[in-house]
Amino acid sequence: MKNILILAGDGIGPEVMREACRIIDWFGAHRGLEVNLEHDLVGGAAYDVHQCAISDAAMEKALAADIVMLGAVGGAKWDNVDYAARPEAGLLRLRSDLELFANLRPAICFPALAQASSLKREIVEGLDIMIVRELTGGIYFGEPRGIEDLGGGQRRGLNTQVYETYEIERIARVAADLAMARGKKLASSEKRNVMESGQLWYEEVERVISTDYPELELSHVLADNCAMQLVRNPKQYDVLVTDNLFGDILSDIAAQLTGSLGMLPSASLGAVDKISGKRRALYEPVHGSAPDIVGQNAANPLATILSFAMALRYSFARSADADLLEAAVARVLDKGLRTADIAPASAPSSDLLGTDAMGDAVLAALVEEAGL
Ligand code: NAD
């Protein structure tokens, strides 16, 4: 039995999560996936009830669950709330308490959506890369940090890029394990030409891979060059591992290659628990709460549904089921079925699917793909 904590959150979060839950139920009914779904609040929804962005009780459930599925948090309603209780603080607490140090951001370009990319079809069609971003270290957390008053009208802003061996080693291992299960090709990105932390990153990744993953083809690419390569020839990469800052930027570049925010899933993985052997994990779409379309049945649920496919693959070791779900999504797109965000601007509104109809379409495609 797998325990899944559902934190639907704010805005379109509950709308897209509703469809993902129907998909989870389908796998329970047709593929023998035994799950127990629990629901709780996060973000503004939690603030309205508990005056904090996630309650201790919900955090306890998250720590005990096999995986957490999150919708989205945030909205103008909570703009004036203290930073510590803002919707985003719920996400940060989850990441930090679950020690989610590895952020997996696949950039997959479904052939049927290649025209939605800002790059030429032949450059992005069939793209399937996995960016692994270190999520809990580096310059976003390093000390010292702050803004100092130097007097005389001068101030100094300071952040510190810092990595230790264990942090680089564990993210390198997550990326290497992924690469071993894919094309056995790993690229690592830093800026060792100008940063000592980049030199350490390079040396530690090199050491881990040459010692424990001799079958992997490892390459190193400077982060600025990597940004360029991602728009020049993204298909040269399979798995790409990088630090928090560069990963933030490079994963957004890769995301843009694929078209819409409404299509992008993500996973954040933590350490393997020594007693249970489970790896903590949170799955969520990359997009936010999309206040501009909330309540209109217009949100694309595919990013959340594809996040569940990642959970099947990376937390439940059910890669055949993950393949099935991804194939069902591809089938829906091949049929030309579209929510507004992935439709050509010229598409008549009568041709567009709502959130619930897109859920229906994926369920129908699952039946077809599974030959039921
Ligand atoms: P957003 O991702 O919510 O929306 C950006 C644009 O993409 C909007 O036009 C929206 O309508 C569209 N969009 C997003 N997801 C879509 C989907 N599934 N289907 C169709 N269209 C979709 O980003 P934003 O507008 O910058 O932020 C809105 C709120 O979300 C803010 O409060 C922000 O802090 C929060 N946010 C939360 C997360 C998260 O929960 N992980 C991430 C980003 C932003």
Side-chain angles (χ1 to χ4, degrees), residues 12 72-75 88 91 261-262 284 286-293 298-300 341:
I12 62 166
V73 296
E88 293 73 15
L91 204 49
L261 264 177
E284 58 179 327
V286 167
H287 63 73
S289 58
D292 51 333
I293 56 168
N300 183 348
D341 59 310

